[in-house]
Amino acid sequence: MARARKPVVAGWFTEAGPHTDDGPAAQGTGADQDFRLIGTRCQDCGSVFFPREDTFCRNPACSGTTLEETPLSRRGRVWSYTDGRYRPPAPYVSDPAREWEPYVLVAVELAAERMVVLGQAAPGTALADLAVGMEVELVPGVLNEDDETTWTTWHWQPLGGDR
Amino acid sequence: MTDDVAVLGAGMHPWGKWGRSFTEYGVAAARAALADAGLAWTDIQLVVGADTVRGGYPGYVAGATFAQALGWQGARVTSVYAACASGAQAVNAARAQILAGMADVALVIGADAAPKGFFAPAGGNRPDDPDWLRFRVLGATNPTYFGLYARRRMALHGDTLEDFAQVKVKNSAAGAANPNARYRKAVSADEVAASAVVADPLRLLDICATSDGAAAVVLSSMEFARRHTTDPVRIRAVSTVTPSYPKTVLDLPDFATDSAAAVEPPALGLRASIAAAAYEEAGIGPSDLDLAEVYDLSTALELQWYEDLALCAPGEGAKLLRDGATALGGRIPVNTSGGLASFGEAVPAQAIAQVCELTWQLRGLAGDRQVPGARAGITANQGLFGHGSSVVAVR
Ligand SMILES: [Zn+2]
């Protein structure tokens, strides 16, 4: 039975397109041009927010209340990276019966937005594949699955990372 | 500048994993501080408690709990919560009421009985809580953020794993001489290197543990102090600043920094602004300091604090360490108590424990850890969600 695909947080990123399968989006550069993180932009001062700020602008010099959705840059440069060698506590979902498999986390600097956004690296990304300053791109990914739902998320993938 | 308040007494319950309640630890620390001050509990006009922490959020209300355990005697009460910065907020709440003339003498207490392992968020399904979401969406534990800072320092400043290990070596050597520390054994760089990686590039011995423990101080007006003692340690400044927008450093539990697209970043980041506010209020600068107690949640973070406290130029934290300046006997010893590396973190007690260490150092009673002739010291830390914390004490 097919599971429904649902974003782990509604409204933080575009839903994956019809060509994206469950597994890692391993189509390489250019496969998911439409997949973006969704922030908001204050219509008064231009400040960008991610995670999205929908009611009040957080610029202390601005009292703006009109914030419109804006897609964030699809590519950025690695600000830093690390990994999780031990199973994180709930609400992170993992199968306690299976041996813990470390995954990589990447903080990515987006030039246009002048901000740093965290994300898990695409499955298969190793620490050795990364360096501070290298270019990465956003790809759709799967966080976890339960009986009814495939919970989708965003991943950062080294550019040109055909695997 | 504000007026000084006096530190009449300091006391702790030793850090460890004792398996008892935070109230018991807090009362033990309070009684030690009162004895040190030569005062009775019934002399205290204000009790301030730093609330315990459960899942990043306030746990047990502390002020009234300690007041009841010590025996209701009608004192004013205040309870505060600011995560890791709770202790400094408690000190400041007492200071402000003393300076406002609402109380002459106050007892400040922080204590916790910490759960084992990673700090986990509060339970339930709470998708509107960033601290819950970072675990759900990223599995980002506190060491995740420490690992990111450490890797960034390696790329930007050339810090090495050996530098990080040497912070642990330094702090464990100091902690070995501190009867209140949980870990009282010198650790070698080889032992750090042999410990398991938790969040690359940091290993188990680079990251502080969670502990049970308690610390307390008795604070008073200078007028009250003159009637009870001569030449007391004085608190000259307490910095409790929030960040300035846009905050461009990724702090836990953030998913992202603020954007600097529309507003230029402030000249100082949060940690540096915490220190700058403390220096300004105290009317002293980094060159006037004899020691510093900083929040070494990780070894790499201690090096960051050197720079944010302006003990050295940005990027030169590792050099300051390599030169031996921050070890006992160096130009500006840092974490003479042994730091979190030797204590582990008992969150609401920790910033008060830092003030206890300054107090003993400035009185010349720190034993084998003593910084000769210490006259001025600073503490620094930062609490989850944007709480600055720094205390300047002088004698
Ligand atoms: Zn605005």
Side-chain angles (χ1 to χ4, degrees):
Chain A
M1 203 184 81
R3 298 181 178 93
R5 295 179 69 87
K6 279 190 198 164
V8 62
V9 187
W12 281 20
F13 47 88
T14 54
E15 309 283 321
H19 302 299
T20 310
D21 207 338
D22 269 9
Q27 313 303 311
T29 305
D32 299 292
Q33 294 286 352
D34 297 333
F35 183 70
R36 298 290 193 94
L37 291 172
I38 303 291
T40 54
R41 185 184 295 275
C42 173
Q43 299 306 293
D44 288 357
C45 74
S47 287
V48 175
F49 299 99
F50 181 84
R52 55 189 300 151
E53 203 59 70
D54 285 296
T55 38
F56 300 107
C57 177
R58 289 198 280 105
N59 173 357
C62 176
S63 53
T65 55
T66 309
L67 295 115
E68 309 233 314
E69 283 193 354
T70 184
L72 303 190
S73 300
R74 211 168 58 79
R75 290 184 182 176
R77 291 189 181 278
V78 174
W79 183 84
S80 191
Y81 57 97
T82 184
D83 64 358
R85 299 287 175 98
Y86 292 88
R87 191 187 303 275
Y92 192 74
V93 180
S94 65
D95 181 355
R98 291 179 59 178
E99 194 181 340
W100 173 246
E101 280 184 47
Y103 61 89
V104 172
L105 281 140
V106 194
V108 177
E109 196 161 16
L110 306 179
E113 292 83 3
R114 294 185 71 186
M115 71 194 298
V116 174
V117 180
L118 259 178
Q120 292 188 348
T125 306
L127 289 168
D129 300 335
L130 293 167
V132 170
M134 84 185 292
E135 205 168 9
V136 293
E137 68 178 351
L138 192 78
V139 295
V142 171
L143 183 63
N144 69 293
E145 294 180 325
D146 53 36
D147 289 348
E148 296 89 37
T149 311
T150 295
W151 295 100
T152 61
T153 190
W154 71 94
H155 286 151
W156 295 110
Q157 177 164 283
L159 210 56
D162 286 311
R163 262 181 292 272
Chain B
M1 278 176 66
T2 52
D3 291 332
D4 295 348
V5 295
V7 185
L8 293 184
M12 286 188 190
H13 181 289
W15 266 233
K17 281 283 187 186
W18 309 108
R20 300 199 297 275
S21 84
F22 81 97
T23 313
E24 190 178 328
Y25 309 142
V27 168
R31 288 187 169 164
L34 287 165
D36 186 38
L39 293 173
W41 157 238
T42 46
D43 296 328
I44 296 297
Q45 299 165 8
L46 163 69
V47 59
V48 183
D51 291 342
T52 69
V53 180
R54 290 295 175 271
Y57 290 92
Y60 297 101
V61 170
T65 301
F66 295 132
Q68 182 186 35
L70 288 158
W72 294 125
Q73 48 88 319
R76 285 176 183 269
V77 65
T78 297
S79 293
V80 302
Y81 180 78
C84 300
S86 297
Q89 295 258 336
V91 167
N92 199 45
R95 180 180 79 133
Q97 292 180 61
I98 290 167
L99 293 179
M102 296 162 69
D104 298 318
V105 58
L107 175 62
V108 180
I109 312 167
D112 214 343
K116 192 176 160 55
F118 289 128
F119 279 113
N125 188 39
R126 298 179 302 115
D128 55 349
D129 169 11
D131 195 47
W132 184 89
L133 277 173
R134 62 150 164 152
F135 283 93
R136 170 69 185 105
V137 178
L138 302 172
T141 60
N142 292 2
T144 296
Y145 292 84
F146 309 155
L148 290 169
Y149 306 146
R151 174 61 62 187
R152 178 75 182 168
R153 288 194 60 85
M154 291 172 77
L156 220 59
H157 305 313
D159 292 9
T160 65
L161 298 180
E162 174 70 14
D163 292 328
F164 300 154
Q166 288 300 335
V167 174
K168 178 72 173 187
V169 170
K170 172 183 75 69
N171 289 350
S172 67
N178 190 340
N180 287 307
R182 175 177 173 190
Y183 304 105
R184 298 194 54 200
K185 184 178 141 312
V187 172
S188 71
D190 286 346
E191 287 173 284
V192 178
S195 66
V197 175
V198 174
D200 179 89
L202 296 178
R203 296 174 178 276
L204 193 61
L205 292 183
D206 285 304
I207 295 169
C208 90
T210 59
S211 293
D212 298 355
V217 289
V218 176
L219 304 181
S220 81
S221 65
M222 292 308 298
E223 192 189 339
F224 184 97
R226 274 189 285 275
R227 297 200 298 269
H228 289 80
T229 187
T230 52
D231 195 20
V233 171
R234 289 165 287 144
I235 290 181
R236 178 147 283 182
V238 183
S239 166
T240 55
V241 297
T242 49
S244 294
Y245 182 87
K247 186 167 80 70
T248 56
V249 173
L250 197 66
D251 278 321
L252 51 97
D254 300 341
F255 278 83
T257 63
D258 289 337
S259 160
V263 181
E264 281 300 312
L268 297 179
L270 171 59
R271 277 186 299 270
S273 74
I274 294 169
Y279 288 136
E280 187 184 352
E281 186 173 286
I284 69 170
S287 61
D288 300 314
L289 296 173
D290 298 301
L291 76 155
E293 285 282 306
V294 307
Y295 226 59
D296 55 323
L297 290 165
S298 81
T299 50
L301 192 60
E302 175 165 322
L303 302 180
Q304 186 68 48
W305 278 116
Y306 297 172
E307 298 165 20
D308 291 327
L309 288 179
L311 305 181
C312 63
E316 293 187 358
K319 181 178 184 301
L320 195 70
L321 175 83
R322 290 175 203 145
D323 292 348
T326 58
L328 282 169
R331 172 170 72 74
I332 172 71
V334 176
N335 284 337
T336 57
S337 68
L340 296 177
S342 302
F343 276 73
E345 190 183 19
V347 178
Q350 215 67 45
I352 299 170
Q354 291 182 320
V355 175
C356 289
E357 178 67 9
L358 291 193
T359 301
W360 291 323
Q361 287 283 355
L362 298 179
R363 288 177 179 173
L365 298 176
D368 292 344
R369 320 188 301 283
Q370 183 63 45
V371 177
R375 305 295 292 183
I378 193 168
T379 75
N381 105 27
Q382 174 186 355
L384 191 72
F385 306 120
H387 291 98
S389 158
S390 175
V391 176
V392 175
V394 298
R395 185 154 178 240

